[in-house]
Amino acid sequence: MSGQQQTDGGFANPVIPGFHPDPSICRVGDDYYLVNSSFEYFPGIPVFHSRDLVNWRQIGNALDRPSQLPLPHTMPSSAGIYAPTLRHHDGRFWLIVTNVGSTGNVLFTATDPAGPWSDPLPLPGVPGIDPDLAWDEDGTCWCTVAGISQFRLDPVTGENLSEPERTWSGAPGAQAPEAPHLYRIGEYWYLLIAEGGTERGHCVSIARGTSPTGPFEPCPANPILTHRSMHHPIQNTGHADLVQAPDGSWCLVLLAVRPGGGTPGWHVLGRETFLVPVTWEDGWPVVGELELEMPAPGWPLTPVPAVPARDDFDEAELHPQWISVRERRAELCTTKERSGWLTLRAAGASLDEPDVVFTGRRQQHLSCEARTLVDASAGRGGLAVRLDEQHHYEIEAGDGEVKVFARIGSLRTEVAARPLPAGPVVLGVDIAKQQPREARSGPDLVSFGIEEPDGTFTVLGSLEGRYLSTEVTGGFTGRVIGMYAASGTVHFDWFDYRAAQAS
Ligand code: 6LW
Protein backbone atom coordinates (compact mmCIF):
# COMPACT_ATOMS: atom_id res chain seq x y z
CA MET A 1 0.00 0.00 0.00
CA SER A 2 2.80 2.30 0.61
CA GLY A 3 6.49 2.09 -0.32
CA GLN A 4 6.26 2.56 -4.06
CA GLN A 5 9.04 0.54 -5.62
CA GLN A 6 10.82 2.44 -8.41
CA THR A 7 11.87 0.97 -11.71
CA ASP A 8 15.59 1.46 -11.09
CA GLY A 9 15.32 -0.72 -7.99
CA GLY A 10 15.36 2.26 -5.65
CA PHE A 11 12.45 3.25 -3.49
CA ALA A 12 10.35 6.27 -2.69
CA ASN A 13 10.15 8.00 0.67
CA PRO A 14 7.98 8.20 2.68
CA VAL A 15 7.63 4.43 2.85
CA ILE A 16 4.30 4.84 4.68
CA PRO A 17 2.78 8.07 3.37
CA GLY A 18 0.07 10.06 5.08
CA PHE A 19 -0.49 10.67 8.78
CA HIS A 20 1.68 7.86 10.21
CA PRO A 21 3.90 9.49 12.86
CA ASP A 22 6.16 8.18 15.63
CA PRO A 23 7.05 4.90 13.89
CA SER A 24 8.23 2.07 16.10
CA ILE A 25 9.55 -1.07 14.46
CA CYS A 26 10.56 -4.57 15.43
CA ARG A 27 12.04 -7.47 13.53
CA VAL A 28 11.16 -11.11 14.11
CA GLY A 29 13.12 -13.39 11.77
CA ASP A 30 12.43 -12.21 8.22
CA ASP A 31 9.37 -10.20 9.23
CA TYR A 32 9.16 -6.55 10.20
CA TYR A 33 6.28 -4.96 12.07
CA LEU A 34 5.71 -1.25 12.48
CA VAL A 35 3.18 0.81 14.46
CA ASN A 36 2.25 4.50 14.56
CA SER A 37 0.45 6.97 16.80
CA SER A 38 -3.25 7.48 16.04
CA PHE A 39 -4.45 10.25 18.48
CA GLU A 40 -8.25 10.71 18.50
CA TYR A 41 -9.02 8.08 15.88
CA PHE A 42 -10.61 4.66 16.45
CA PRO A 43 -9.49 1.97 15.82
CA GLY A 44 -6.04 3.00 17.00
CA ILE A 45 -2.39 2.15 16.34
CA PRO A 46 -2.15 0.91 12.75
CA VAL A 47 0.04 -2.21 12.48
CA PHE A 48 2.07 -2.77 9.29
CA HIS A 49 4.03 -5.76 8.03
CA SER A 50 6.96 -5.84 5.62
CA ARG A 51 9.69 -8.16 4.45
CA ASP A 52 11.94 -5.45 3.01
CA LEU A 53 11.36 -2.29 5.13
CA VAL A 54 10.18 -0.50 1.96
CA ASN A 55 6.86 -2.11 1.02
CA TRP A 56 4.40 -2.16 3.90
CA ARG A 57 0.93 -3.68 4.22
CA GLN A 58 -1.46 -2.74 6.99
CA ILE A 59 -2.43 -5.96 8.79
CA GLY A 60 -4.69 -4.40 11.38
CA ASN A 61 -5.04 -1.87 14.15
CA ALA A 62 -3.75 -2.98 17.53
CA LEU A 63 -6.54 -1.24 19.44
CA ASP A 64 -9.80 -2.23 17.79
CA ARG A 65 -12.07 -2.81 20.81
CA PRO A 66 -13.61 0.01 22.85
CA SER A 67 -12.23 -1.61 26.03
CA GLN A 68 -8.71 -1.05 24.68
CA LEU A 69 -9.18 2.52 23.53
CA PRO A 70 -11.41 4.81 25.57
CA LEU A 71 -11.30 8.22 23.84
CA PRO A 72 -13.74 10.44 25.77
CA HIS A 73 -15.58 13.24 23.98
CA THR A 74 -14.00 15.72 26.40
CA MET A 75 -10.59 14.80 25.00
CA PRO A 76 -9.37 17.34 22.41
CA SER A 77 -8.17 16.29 18.97
CA SER A 78 -4.48 15.36 18.92
CA ALA A 79 -4.79 13.90 22.43
CA GLY A 80 -5.36 10.14 22.69
CA ILE A 81 -2.77 7.70 21.39
CA TYR A 82 0.81 9.04 21.42
CA ALA A 83 4.02 7.31 20.44
CA PRO A 84 3.77 3.54 20.92
CA THR A 85 6.85 1.32 21.24
CA LEU A 86 6.59 -2.16 19.70
CA ARG A 87 8.98 -4.88 20.84
CA HIS A 88 9.20 -8.70 20.62
CA HIS A 89 10.45 -10.51 23.70
CA ASP A 90 9.99 -13.96 25.14
CA GLY A 91 7.73 -15.12 22.30
CA ARG A 92 5.33 -12.19 22.63
CA PHE A 93 4.79 -8.76 21.12
CA TRP A 94 4.73 -5.90 23.64
CA LEU A 95 3.17 -2.55 22.90
CA ILE A 96 3.57 0.27 25.41
CA VAL A 97 1.82 3.55 24.74
CA THR A 98 0.27 6.68 26.28
CA ASN A 99 -3.45 7.43 25.93
CA VAL A 100 -3.18 11.17 26.67
CA GLY A 101 -6.29 12.66 28.31
CA SER A 102 -7.67 9.17 29.02
CA THR A 103 -5.98 6.15 30.62
CA GLY A 104 -2.38 7.42 30.54
CA ASN A 105 0.33 4.81 30.06
CA VAL A 106 -0.81 1.29 29.25
CA LEU A 107 0.70 -1.95 27.98
CA PHE A 108 -0.72 -4.50 25.53
CA THR A 109 0.55 -7.91 24.45
CA ALA A 110 -0.19 -10.22 21.52
CA THR A 111 1.20 -13.40 20.02
CA ASP A 112 0.20 -12.24 16.54
CA PRO A 113 0.76 -8.53 15.81
CA ALA A 114 -2.30 -8.60 13.50
CA GLY A 115 -4.27 -9.20 16.71
CA PRO A 116 -6.05 -9.83 18.86
CA TRP A 117 -4.17 -7.62 21.33
CA SER A 118 -4.84 -7.92 25.05
CA ASP A 119 -6.90 -5.50 27.09
CA PRO A 120 -4.78 -2.65 28.47
CA LEU A 121 -2.59 -3.27 31.51
CA PRO A 122 -2.61 0.03 33.47
CA LEU A 123 0.83 1.42 34.30
CA PRO A 124 -0.01 3.87 37.11
CA GLY A 125 3.63 4.51 38.00
CA VAL A 126 4.85 5.25 34.47
CA PRO A 127 5.15 9.04 34.13
CA GLY A 128 4.91 11.25 31.06
CA ILE A 129 4.83 10.17 27.43
CA ASP A 130 6.81 8.15 24.87
CA PRO A 131 7.44 5.00 26.97
CA ASP A 132 10.01 2.51 25.68
CA LEU A 133 10.73 -1.08 26.74
CA ALA A 134 14.07 -2.90 26.68
CA TRP A 135 15.14 -6.12 28.40
CA ASP A 136 18.69 -6.75 29.59
CA GLU A 137 20.50 -10.11 29.74
CA ASP A 138 19.07 -10.84 33.20
CA GLY A 139 15.53 -10.39 31.94
CA THR A 140 15.15 -7.04 33.73
CA CYS A 141 12.71 -4.81 31.84
CA TRP A 142 13.79 -1.15 31.57
CA CYS A 143 11.19 1.46 30.82
CA THR A 144 12.46 4.80 29.51
CA VAL A 145 10.23 7.85 29.03
CA ALA A 146 10.48 11.37 27.57
CA GLY A 147 12.63 13.62 29.66
CA ILE A 148 14.71 11.33 29.56
CA SER A 149 14.28 9.07 32.60
CA GLN A 150 14.37 5.39 33.26
CA PHE A 151 13.23 2.78 35.80
CA ARG A 152 12.66 -0.93 36.14
CA LEU A 153 9.17 -2.09 35.25
CA ASP A 154 7.38 -5.37 35.83
CA PRO A 155 5.63 -5.68 32.47
CA VAL A 156 3.38 -8.46 33.75
CA THR A 157 1.93 -6.66 36.78
CA GLY A 158 2.49 -3.11 35.50
CA GLU A 159 4.33 -2.10 38.69
CA ASN A 160 7.39 0.12 38.79
CA LEU A 161 10.28 -1.70 40.47
CA SER A 162 12.48 1.39 40.90
CA GLU A 163 12.20 5.17 41.00
CA PRO A 164 12.55 7.05 37.70
CA GLU A 165 16.08 8.43 37.27
CA ARG A 166 17.23 10.98 34.74
CA THR A 167 19.63 9.29 32.28
CA TRP A 168 20.23 11.96 29.65
CA SER A 169 18.66 15.26 28.58
CA GLY A 170 20.02 15.50 25.07
CA ALA A 171 21.91 18.54 23.81
CA PRO A 172 22.21 21.41 26.32
CA GLY A 173 19.42 23.89 25.66
CA ALA A 174 17.56 21.75 23.13
CA GLN A 175 13.85 21.55 23.89
CA ALA A 176 11.81 18.39 24.37
CA PRO A 177 14.15 15.40 24.74
CA GLU A 178 11.65 12.65 23.90
CA ALA A 179 10.96 9.46 21.96
CA PRO A 180 13.63 7.41 23.75
CA HIS A 181 14.52 3.92 22.55
CA LEU A 182 17.14 1.81 24.33
CA TYR A 183 18.99 -0.98 22.51
CA ARG A 184 21.83 -3.40 23.12
CA ILE A 185 23.96 -3.45 19.95
CA GLY A 186 27.36 -5.11 20.14
CA GLU A 187 29.26 -4.02 23.24
CA TYR A 188 27.15 -0.92 24.00
CA TRP A 189 23.73 0.12 25.16
CA TYR A 190 22.48 2.89 22.90
CA LEU A 191 19.92 5.51 23.89
CA LEU A 192 18.31 7.03 20.79
CA ILE A 193 16.14 10.13 21.32
CA ALA A 194 14.43 12.94 19.42
CA GLU A 195 14.85 16.56 20.45
CA GLY A 196 14.18 20.09 19.28
CA GLY A 197 10.38 19.66 19.20
CA THR A 198 8.40 17.93 16.48
CA GLU A 199 8.43 20.99 14.17
CA ARG A 200 11.23 22.38 11.96
CA GLY A 201 13.89 22.02 14.71
CA HIS A 202 13.27 18.30 15.13
CA CYS A 203 16.31 16.01 15.22
CA VAL A 204 17.61 12.61 16.25
CA SER A 205 20.47 12.22 18.77
CA ILE A 206 22.14 9.24 20.38
CA ALA A 207 24.27 8.38 23.40
CA ARG A 208 25.87 5.13 24.53
CA GLY A 209 27.07 3.38 27.64
CA THR A 210 28.19 -0.04 28.75
CA SER A 211 25.18 -0.57 31.02
CA PRO A 212 21.45 -0.12 30.29
CA THR A 213 21.35 2.51 33.03
CA GLY A 214 24.28 4.50 31.67
CA PRO A 215 26.18 6.66 32.25
CA PHE A 216 25.52 7.68 28.66
CA GLU A 217 28.12 9.40 26.54
CA PRO A 218 26.58 11.61 23.82
CA CYS A 219 27.68 10.95 20.24
CA PRO A 220 30.15 13.70 19.21
CA ALA A 221 28.30 14.01 15.89
CA ASN A 222 24.88 14.75 17.48
CA PRO A 223 22.35 15.38 16.15
CA ILE A 224 22.90 12.35 13.93
CA LEU A 225 19.95 13.41 11.77
CA THR A 226 18.26 16.76 11.25
CA HIS A 227 17.05 18.90 8.35
CA ARG A 228 16.65 22.03 10.50
CA SER A 229 17.61 25.27 8.72
CA MET A 230 18.00 23.35 5.47
CA HIS A 231 16.30 23.95 2.14
CA HIS A 232 15.11 20.40 1.76
CA PRO A 233 11.76 18.95 0.67
CA ILE A 234 11.77 16.71 3.77
CA GLN A 235 11.48 18.59 7.08
CA ASN A 236 10.81 18.00 10.82
CA THR A 237 12.97 14.84 10.80
CA GLY A 238 12.87 13.04 14.14
CA HIS A 239 11.24 10.44 16.36
CA ALA A 240 13.19 7.46 15.03
CA ASP A 241 13.64 3.75 15.76
CA LEU A 242 16.63 1.61 14.75
CA VAL A 243 16.35 -1.76 13.04
CA GLN A 244 18.63 -4.28 11.37
CA ALA A 245 17.93 -4.70 7.64
CA PRO A 246 17.58 -8.06 5.85
CA ASP A 247 21.27 -7.93 4.74
CA GLY A 248 22.55 -7.26 8.27
CA SER A 249 23.05 -3.53 7.71
CA TRP A 250 21.04 -0.99 9.73
CA CYS A 251 18.26 1.50 9.07
CA LEU A 252 16.27 4.13 10.89
CA VAL A 253 12.54 4.57 10.53
CA LEU A 254 11.56 8.10 11.45
CA LEU A 255 8.87 10.69 11.09
CA ALA A 256 9.19 13.69 8.80
CA VAL A 257 6.94 15.98 6.77
CA ARG A 258 6.72 17.24 3.19
CA PRO A 259 5.88 20.95 3.29
CA GLY A 260 4.83 22.65 0.07
CA GLY A 261 3.67 26.03 -1.19
CA GLY A 262 6.85 28.05 -0.83
CA THR A 263 8.38 29.45 2.34
CA PRO A 264 7.83 28.62 5.17
CA GLY A 265 5.78 25.78 3.72
CA TRP A 266 2.64 24.05 4.85
CA HIS A 267 2.39 20.30 5.34
CA VAL A 268 -1.01 18.74 4.95
CA LEU A 269 -0.49 14.98 5.20
CA GLY A 270 0.70 15.02 8.81
CA ARG A 271 3.94 13.40 9.89
CA GLU A 272 4.79 10.43 7.67
CA THR A 273 7.07 7.37 8.06
CA PHE A 274 10.43 7.52 6.25
CA LEU A 275 13.31 5.04 5.94
CA VAL A 276 17.03 5.86 5.81
CA PRO A 277 20.13 3.64 5.90
CA VAL A 278 22.60 3.77 8.76
CA THR A 279 26.28 2.75 8.77
CA TRP A 280 28.55 2.50 11.81
CA GLU A 281 31.83 4.32 12.49
CA ASP A 282 33.75 3.94 15.75
CA GLY A 283 30.70 2.37 17.31
CA TRP A 284 28.43 5.28 16.37
CA PRO A 285 25.58 5.21 13.84
CA VAL A 286 26.02 7.46 10.80
CA VAL A 287 22.73 8.28 9.08
CA GLY A 288 22.74 8.32 5.25
CA GLU A 289 21.11 10.92 3.02
CA LEU A 290 17.36 11.10 3.53
CA GLU A 291 15.70 11.86 0.19
CA LEU A 292 12.34 11.40 -1.50
CA GLU A 293 13.97 9.08 -4.04
CA MET A 294 16.33 6.64 -2.41
CA PRO A 295 18.88 4.35 -4.09
CA ALA A 296 18.35 0.60 -4.21
CA PRO A 297 19.00 -1.03 -0.86
CA GLY A 298 21.35 -4.02 -0.62
CA TRP A 299 18.53 -6.54 -0.40
CA PRO A 300 15.69 -7.54 -2.74
CA LEU A 301 12.45 -5.60 -2.65
CA THR A 302 9.24 -7.57 -2.25
CA PRO A 303 6.22 -5.51 -3.35
CA VAL A 304 2.92 -5.98 -1.56
CA PRO A 305 -0.53 -5.79 -3.18
CA ALA A 306 -1.90 -2.25 -3.30
CA VAL A 307 -5.10 -1.50 -1.43
CA PRO A 308 -7.77 -1.34 -4.19
CA ALA A 309 -8.80 2.20 -5.14
CA ARG A 310 -12.45 1.35 -4.57
CA ASP A 311 -13.99 0.01 -1.40
CA ASP A 312 -17.42 -1.40 -2.27
CA PHE A 313 -18.28 -2.04 1.37
CA ASP A 314 -19.11 -5.63 0.46
CA GLU A 315 -17.28 -7.11 3.47
CA ALA A 316 -18.88 -7.37 6.91
CA GLU A 317 -15.78 -5.83 8.52
CA LEU A 318 -14.31 -2.56 7.34
CA HIS A 319 -10.75 -2.60 5.95
CA PRO A 320 -8.25 -1.53 8.66
CA GLN A 321 -7.47 1.68 6.76
CA TRP A 322 -10.83 3.14 7.84
CA ILE A 323 -10.74 5.25 10.98
CA SER A 324 -13.52 7.01 12.88
CA VAL A 325 -13.44 9.90 15.33
CA ARG A 326 -13.09 8.74 18.96
CA GLU A 327 -15.38 5.71 18.64
CA ARG A 328 -17.19 3.54 16.15
CA ARG A 329 -20.55 2.49 17.46
CA ALA A 330 -22.03 -0.41 15.48
CA GLU A 331 -25.47 1.21 15.43
CA LEU A 332 -24.03 4.42 13.91
CA CYS A 333 -21.50 2.98 11.43
CA THR A 334 -22.27 -0.35 9.81
CA THR A 335 -22.09 -2.36 6.61
CA LYS A 336 -24.77 -4.71 7.91
CA GLU A 337 -27.82 -2.49 7.51
CA ARG A 338 -27.90 -2.26 3.71
CA SER A 339 -25.88 -4.97 2.03
CA GLY A 340 -22.92 -3.57 0.07
CA TRP A 341 -23.30 -0.07 1.55
CA LEU A 342 -21.76 1.74 4.48
CA THR A 343 -24.51 3.26 6.61
CA LEU A 344 -23.75 6.21 8.87
CA ARG A 345 -26.33 7.49 11.32
CA ALA A 346 -25.82 10.98 12.73
CA ALA A 347 -25.51 11.29 16.48
CA GLY A 348 -27.10 14.72 16.25
CA ALA A 349 -23.72 16.32 15.71
CA SER A 350 -21.78 18.01 12.92
CA LEU A 351 -18.10 17.79 11.95
CA ASP A 352 -17.56 20.62 14.48
CA GLU A 353 -18.43 18.27 17.33
CA PRO A 354 -16.27 15.68 19.09
CA ASP A 355 -18.93 12.98 18.58
CA VAL A 356 -19.25 13.43 14.81
CA VAL A 357 -20.01 10.20 12.95
CA PHE A 358 -17.17 10.26 10.43
CA THR A 359 -15.28 7.35 8.86
CA GLY A 360 -12.33 8.15 6.65
CA ARG A 361 -8.89 7.20 5.44
CA ARG A 362 -5.65 9.11 5.55
CA GLN A 363 -4.82 11.36 2.60
CA GLN A 364 -1.59 9.75 1.41
CA HIS A 365 -0.67 11.69 -1.73
CA LEU A 366 -0.03 15.38 -2.31
CA SER A 367 -2.38 15.20 -5.31
CA CYS A 368 -5.30 12.82 -5.19
CA GLU A 369 -9.01 12.46 -5.75
CA ALA A 370 -11.82 10.83 -3.83
CA ARG A 371 -15.36 9.99 -4.91
CA THR A 372 -18.28 8.40 -3.09
CA LEU A 373 -21.80 7.45 -4.13
CA VAL A 374 -24.18 8.85 -1.51
CA ASP A 375 -27.85 8.14 -0.83
CA ALA A 376 -28.99 11.11 1.27
CA SER A 377 -32.71 10.45 0.93
CA ALA A 378 -33.07 9.90 4.69
CA GLY A 379 -30.54 12.37 6.06
CA ARG A 380 -27.74 14.80 5.35
CA GLY A 381 -24.13 13.83 4.93
CA GLY A 382 -21.26 13.70 2.54
CA LEU A 383 -17.54 13.78 1.96
CA ALA A 384 -15.13 15.72 4.18
CA VAL A 385 -11.46 16.53 4.35
CA ARG A 386 -10.79 16.67 8.09
CA LEU A 387 -7.90 17.95 10.16
CA ASP A 388 -9.81 18.41 13.42
CA GLU A 389 -13.11 19.82 14.71
CA GLN A 390 -12.12 23.40 13.88
CA HIS A 391 -10.55 22.70 10.50
CA HIS A 392 -12.42 20.79 7.81
CA TYR A 393 -13.88 21.27 4.34
CA GLU A 394 -16.82 19.22 3.13
CA ILE A 395 -19.46 18.64 0.45
CA GLU A 396 -22.81 17.64 1.86
CA ALA A 397 -25.96 16.22 0.24
CA GLY A 398 -29.45 16.23 1.73
CA ASP A 399 -32.72 18.16 2.03
CA GLY A 400 -32.78 18.67 -1.76
CA GLU A 401 -29.41 20.42 -1.96
CA VAL A 402 -25.69 19.85 -2.33
CA LYS A 403 -23.56 22.33 -0.38
CA VAL A 404 -19.87 22.95 0.12
CA PHE A 405 -18.80 24.21 3.55
CA ALA A 406 -15.52 25.38 5.02
CA ARG A 407 -14.65 25.58 8.71
CA ILE A 408 -11.38 27.37 9.52
CA GLY A 409 -10.94 28.11 13.21
CA SER A 410 -13.95 30.08 14.42
CA LEU A 411 -15.06 30.89 10.86
CA ARG A 412 -17.63 28.71 9.17
CA THR A 413 -19.04 29.47 5.75
CA GLU A 414 -21.16 27.98 2.99
CA VAL A 415 -19.02 28.11 -0.13
CA ALA A 416 -21.49 26.85 -2.75
CA ALA A 417 -24.93 25.30 -3.15
CA ARG A 418 -26.95 23.71 -5.92
CA PRO A 419 -30.04 21.51 -6.14
CA LEU A 420 -29.53 17.83 -5.35
CA PRO A 421 -30.21 15.64 -8.42
CA ALA A 422 -32.73 12.84 -7.97
CA GLY A 423 -31.41 9.56 -6.55
CA PRO A 424 -27.95 8.78 -5.18
CA VAL A 425 -25.24 11.27 -6.15
CA VAL A 426 -21.47 10.95 -6.61
CA LEU A 427 -19.73 13.54 -4.44
CA GLY A 428 -16.05 14.15 -5.00
CA VAL A 429 -12.94 16.05 -4.03
CA ASP A 430 -9.89 16.74 -6.18
CA ILE A 431 -6.77 17.76 -4.31
CA ALA A 432 -4.10 19.26 -6.54
CA LYS A 433 -0.61 20.16 -5.40
CA GLN A 434 0.42 23.60 -6.65
CA GLN A 435 3.87 24.61 -7.82
CA PRO A 436 5.53 27.16 -5.51
CA ARG A 437 5.28 29.92 -8.16
CA GLU A 438 1.50 29.54 -8.45
CA ALA A 439 1.14 28.87 -4.78
CA ARG A 440 0.34 32.16 -3.12
CA SER A 441 -2.57 30.17 -1.82
CA GLY A 442 -0.73 26.78 -1.78
CA PRO A 443 0.44 24.17 -1.07
CA ASP A 444 -2.63 22.72 -2.75
CA LEU A 445 -6.13 23.39 -3.94
CA VAL A 446 -9.05 21.37 -2.56
CA SER A 447 -11.96 21.30 -5.03
CA PHE A 448 -15.33 19.77 -4.23
CA GLY A 449 -17.94 18.82 -6.79
CA ILE A 450 -20.42 16.32 -8.08
CA GLU A 451 -20.24 13.83 -10.90
CA GLU A 452 -22.83 14.51 -13.62
CA PRO A 453 -24.79 11.62 -15.19
CA ASP A 454 -22.37 11.70 -18.18
CA GLY A 455 -19.41 11.15 -15.83
CA THR A 456 -17.99 14.68 -15.97
CA PHE A 457 -16.99 16.27 -12.68
CA THR A 458 -18.50 19.69 -11.94
CA VAL A 459 -16.54 21.66 -9.38
CA LEU A 460 -18.79 23.61 -7.00
CA GLY A 461 -16.12 25.16 -4.80
CA SER A 462 -12.30 25.32 -4.55
CA LEU A 463 -10.50 26.14 -1.32
CA GLU A 464 -6.90 26.87 -0.37
CA GLY A 465 -5.36 23.79 1.21
CA ARG A 466 -3.09 25.62 3.61
CA TYR A 467 -5.88 26.14 6.13
CA LEU A 468 -6.01 22.38 6.50
CA SER A 469 -2.26 22.13 7.23
CA THR A 470 -0.59 21.44 10.56
CA GLU A 471 1.23 24.79 10.39
CA VAL A 472 -2.23 26.40 10.66
CA THR A 473 -4.09 23.96 12.87
CA GLY A 474 -1.34 22.86 15.27
CA GLY A 475 -1.68 19.36 16.66
CA PHE A 476 -0.11 16.09 15.65
CA THR A 477 -2.37 14.56 12.99
CA GLY A 478 -2.83 14.99 9.23
CA ARG A 479 -5.68 15.09 6.77
CA VAL A 480 -8.24 12.32 6.78
CA ILE A 481 -10.72 12.09 3.88
CA GLY A 482 -14.00 10.40 4.55
CA MET A 483 -17.73 10.07 4.83
CA TYR A 484 -19.91 11.58 7.53
CA ALA A 485 -23.52 11.94 8.58
CA ALA A 486 -24.81 15.33 9.78
CA SER A 487 -28.43 14.31 10.32
CA GLY A 488 -30.58 11.21 9.91
CA THR A 489 -29.22 8.18 8.09
CA VAL A 490 -26.90 8.38 5.09
CA HIS A 491 -25.81 5.42 2.95
CA PHE A 492 -22.57 5.20 0.93
CA ASP A 493 -22.39 2.57 -1.84
CA TRP A 494 -18.65 2.86 -2.48
CA PHE A 495 -15.66 5.09 -1.88
CA ASP A 496 -12.78 5.61 -4.33
CA TYR A 497 -9.42 7.14 -3.47
CA ARG A 498 -6.66 7.53 -6.07
CA ALA A 499 -3.35 9.28 -6.35
CA ALA A 500 -3.31 11.88 -9.13
CA GLN A 501 -0.39 13.19 -11.20
CA ALA A 502 2.42 14.80 -9.20
CA SER A 503 1.31 12.91 -6.13
C1 6LW B 1 5.18 12.29 20.60
C2 6LW B 1 6.53 12.85 20.63
C3 6LW B 1 6.52 13.50 19.34
O1 6LW B 1 4.73 11.81 21.80
O2 6LW B 1 5.29 14.04 19.14
O3 6LW B 1 7.59 13.95 17.40
C4 6LW B 1 4.43 13.49 20.11
N1 6LW B 1 7.47 13.42 18.53
O4 6LW B 1 7.55 11.94 20.77
C5 6LW B 1 3.11 13.14 19.51
O5 6LW B 1 3.30 12.39 18.34
Side-chain angles (χ1 to χ4, degrees):
M1 74 148 263
S2 40
Q4 309 94 324
Q5 198 176 351
Q6 293 174 355
T7 45
D8 61 0
F11 68 92
N13 258 323
V15 289
I16 308 183
F19 144 53
H20 292 105
D22 307 328
S24 178
I25 190 166
C26 86
R27 178 182 183 173
V28 184
D30 294 336
D31 297 299
Y32 294 93
Y33 300 97
L34 185 148
V35 292
N36 300 103
S37 304
S38 50
F39 303 97
E40 74 264 30
Y41 289 96
F42 183 97
I45 310 190
V47 182
F48 292 88
H49 171 259
S50 175
R51 282 281 172 97
D52 63 6
L53 297 170
V54 167
N55 295 286
W56 292 92
R57 188 171 70 86
Q58 189 177 355
I59 55 173
N61 291 283
L63 311 186
D64 58 3
R65 303 190 303 275
S67 62
Q68 297 169 306
L69 184 54
L71 296 169
H73 293 164
T74 49
M75 189 204 75
S77 347
S78 281
I81 293 295
Y82 276 38
T85 295
L86 178 67
R87 294 292 180 253
H88 187 257
H89 172 77
D90 210 12
R92 271 200 280 179
F93 290 88
W94 304 77
L95 187 59
I96 187 167
V97 67
T98 318
N99 187 346
V100 174
S102 177
T103 53
N105 287 301
V106 279
L107 180 65
F108 302 87
T109 56
T111 48
D112 180 349
W117 285 83
S118 68
D119 275 339
L121 175 71
L123 302 173
V126 175
I129 58 167
D130 298 0
D132 173 73
L133 295 178
W135 283 263
D136 69 16
E137 290 84 351
D138 306 334
T140 301
C141 177
W142 295 98
C143 182
T144 312
V145 295
I148 303 287
S149 58
Q150 185 199 57
F151 46 92
R152 281 186 293 130
L153 178 74
D154 183 333
V156 176
T157 63
E159 271 174 78
N160 286 22
L161 301 177
S162 65
E163 286 301 312
E165 280 186 33
R166 186 60 60 92
T167 50
W168 188 37
S169 302
Q175 63 161 317
E178 59 188 6
H181 290 306
L182 182 69
Y183 319 87
R184 174 74 198 249
I185 301 172
E187 58 189 298
Y188 289 111
W189 285 87
Y190 289 89
L191 179 56
L192 183 77
I193 67 164
E195 51 186 337
T198 196
E199 298 81 24
R200 295 291 188 270
H202 213 197
C203 54
V204 180
S205 296
I206 198 161
R208 71 183 183 195
T210 50
S211 140
T213 53
F216 289 101
E217 164 204 2
C219 175
N222 277 337
I224 58 170
L225 171 62
T226 188
H227 284 183
R228 67 187 178 202
S229 299
M230 281 172 70
H231 277 295
H232 196 285
I234 304 173
Q235 291 289 325
N236 304 23
T237 54
H239 202 122
D241 203 0
L242 257 175
V243 69
Q244 197 160 21
D247 67 350
S249 66
W250 290 79
C251 286
L252 274 185
V253 289
L254 67 137
L255 73 73
V257 305
R258 292 183 282 166
T263 306
W266 291 263
H267 76 276
V268 300
L269 301 188
R271 300 168 299 161
E272 309 177 276
T273 293
F274 289 71
L275 178 73
V276 66
V278 166
T279 53
W280 294 84
E281 279 174 28
D282 301 326
W284 292 111
V286 178
V287 181
E289 296 296 321
L290 173 66
E291 302 293 346
L292 295 173
E293 294 191 3
M294 299 290 291
W299 57 89
L301 294 181
T302 47
V304 296
V307 177
R310 173 163 296 190
D311 193 329
D312 266 314
F313 303 122
D314 286 339
E315 308 294 327
E317 299 298 328
L318 284 180
H319 187 280
Q321 71 176 343
W322 294 108
I323 49 177
S324 303
V325 177
R326 291 189 180 79
E327 61 181 348
R328 183 181 291 164
R329 284 159 57 190
E331 68 277 20
L332 303 183
C333 174
T334 178
T335 52
K336 295 179 184 141
E337 184 159 325
R338 187 190 280 189
S339 176
W341 294 66
L342 178 70
T343 297
L344 300 184
R345 187 163 289 120
S350 73
L351 282 158
D352 299 341
E353 304 298 330
D355 56 347
V356 61
V357 175
F358 168 93
T359 296
R361 48 152 299 149
R362 293 154 172 94
Q363 181 184 335
Q364 293 190 286
H365 304 87
L366 299 173
S367 295
C368 62
E369 59 175 58
R371 302 281 184 273
T372 183
L373 180 61
V374 186
D375 173 356
S377 55
R380 269 190 300 110
L383 175 67
V385 180
R386 177 184 197 271
L387 226 307
D388 59 25
E389 281 83 25
Q390 286 85 38
H391 302 89
H392 48 85
Y393 299 159
E394 61 266 16
I395 182 163
E396 187 169 297
D399 297 336
E401 286 185 302
V402 179
K403 292 183 173 180
V404 176
F405 296 105
R407 166 88 198 254
I408 304 168
S410 51
L411 305 175
R412 179 176 172 80
T413 190
E414 183 183 305
V415 177
R418 76 168 247 186
L420 177 65
V425 60
V426 175
L427 302 180
V429 61
D430 285 353
I431 299 181
K433 177 184 169 187
Q434 295 175 295
Q435 296 308 317
R437 63 184 169 282
E438 57 173 343
R440 291 187 57 177
S441 58
D444 59 0
L445 211 55
V446 180
S447 302
F448 290 93
I450 65 171
E451 213 169 85
E452 306 291 355
D454 67 0
T456 55
F457 187 63
T458 303
V459 172
L460 302 184
S462 286
L463 295 150
E464 302 92 333
R466 73 172 50 161
Y467 304 110
L468 299 188
S469 72
T470 307
E471 282 75 7
V472 168
T473 64
F476 295 125
T477 63
R479 286 190 193 155
V480 179
I481 305 178
M483 301 150 284
Y484 71 98
S487 78
T489 301
V490 186
H491 305 278
F492 299 85
D493 189 11
W494 47 259
F495 185 101
D496 280 357
Y497 169 91
R498 289 171 216 280
Q501 290 300 313
S503 58

